Amino acid sequence: MCHSAAVIRPVEILWVIPAAWLAGVGITLLATADLGLSPMDSVVFTAVDATGLRFTVVAWSLNGALAALGVALSLASSSRFTMLWIGVVYLALLGPAVGLSGGWFTQSGSLAARCAMWTAGFVLVTASLAIVVGRLNAGAGFEIFCAGLSALAGVDPFRVRVIAEVARVVGAVAVAGFDRVGAGTALLAVGTAPTLRVLVGHWSPGAR
């Protein structure tokens, strides 16, 4: 997941803009397909419904808590702080992207169409994470948390992510019930890390 030795050139930080918009549209597609959001988004949207707060406020709060924990777990290494500030920019752009793309898609009654919409959402969200994690060696709160946990335990961060994703599914069910958690949530939990491993191998600064 991390290529701490790679130096990120200032111009490369601009990649965070398309990455955030890919994720925003992808999250909207997953929500519209209604086959199960990611564990984190399930909790975020449920909190939005319960509190009436904006998506950005809730997402920042949850990601901020995870990011702080990730930094603490990695003993506040400088690489984790780099991940943090780029992640802040990513989240700042992600909220408007979700908000603006909210009316772009209409839910279909066809299961095949909904599956296609969910698949497109998965591809966009994972591509977004691959750019942020692989090219910028950064991420949102969950990526920072996984990196910190990986540094503490000395375990491959991709394996850490799979375990943490499964734990998030359990947490999402506890918080959101099964209204926003479905088969798609489970597929996201077990499929994101392996897909990222393939994509990050292509986009990673260390691979260029």
Side-chain angles (χ1 to χ4, degrees):
M1 178 181 290
C2 298
H3 295 269
S4 56
V7 177
I8 304 300
R9 294 176 305 208
V11 69
E12 289 188 290
I13 297 171
L14 293 176
W15 276 98
V16 76
I17 298 174
W21 281 91
L22 284 173
V25 176
I27 290 171
T28 299
L29 282 166
L30 292 173
T32 306
D34 195 28
L35 293 174
L37 293 167
S38 74
M40 176 66 84
D41 293 327
S42 300
V43 174
V44 171
F45 277 108
T46 299
V48 167
D49 292 343
T51 64
L53 296 173
R54 296 173 63 87
F55 177 92
T56 304
V57 173
V58 177
W60 270 55
S61 298
L62 292 176
N63 277 276
L66 285 172
L69 184 56
V71 170
L73 288 172
S74 58
L75 303 179
S77 70
S78 59
S79 64
R80 225 55 78 220
F81 280 115
T82 300
M83 293 179 74
L84 182 59
W85 76 263
I86 295 179
V88 167
V89 177
Y90 180 66
L91 287 171
L93 296 173
L94 179 58
V98 172
L100 290 175
S101 61
W104 290 1
F105 309 103
T106 303
Q107 188 181 75
S108 171
S110 165
L111 180 59
R114 291 168 61 199
C115 287
M117 188 174 291
W118 183 92
T119 301
F122 173 82
V123 169
L124 291 180
V125 169
T126 309
S128 169
L129 287 174
I131 292 172
V132 175
V133 173
R135 182 171 284 276
L136 299 177
N137 189 29
F142 185 64
E143 284 71 43
I144 298 172
F145 169 75
C146 286
L149 190 59
S150 172
L152 180 68
V155 178
D156 183 337
F158 286 96
R159 293 183 182 179
V160 170
R161 185 179 184 110
V162 172
I163 295 170
E165 286 279 21
V166 172
R168 285 207 301 176
V169 172
V170 176
V173 171
V175 173
F178 288 97
D179 291 339
R180 298 187 185 278
V181 177
T185 307
L187 288 173
L188 281 164
V190 300
T192 300
T195 305
L196 275 177
R197 183 181 287 280
V198 174
L199 294 178
V200 167
H202 174 69
W203 268 315
S204 150
R208 289 180 298 166

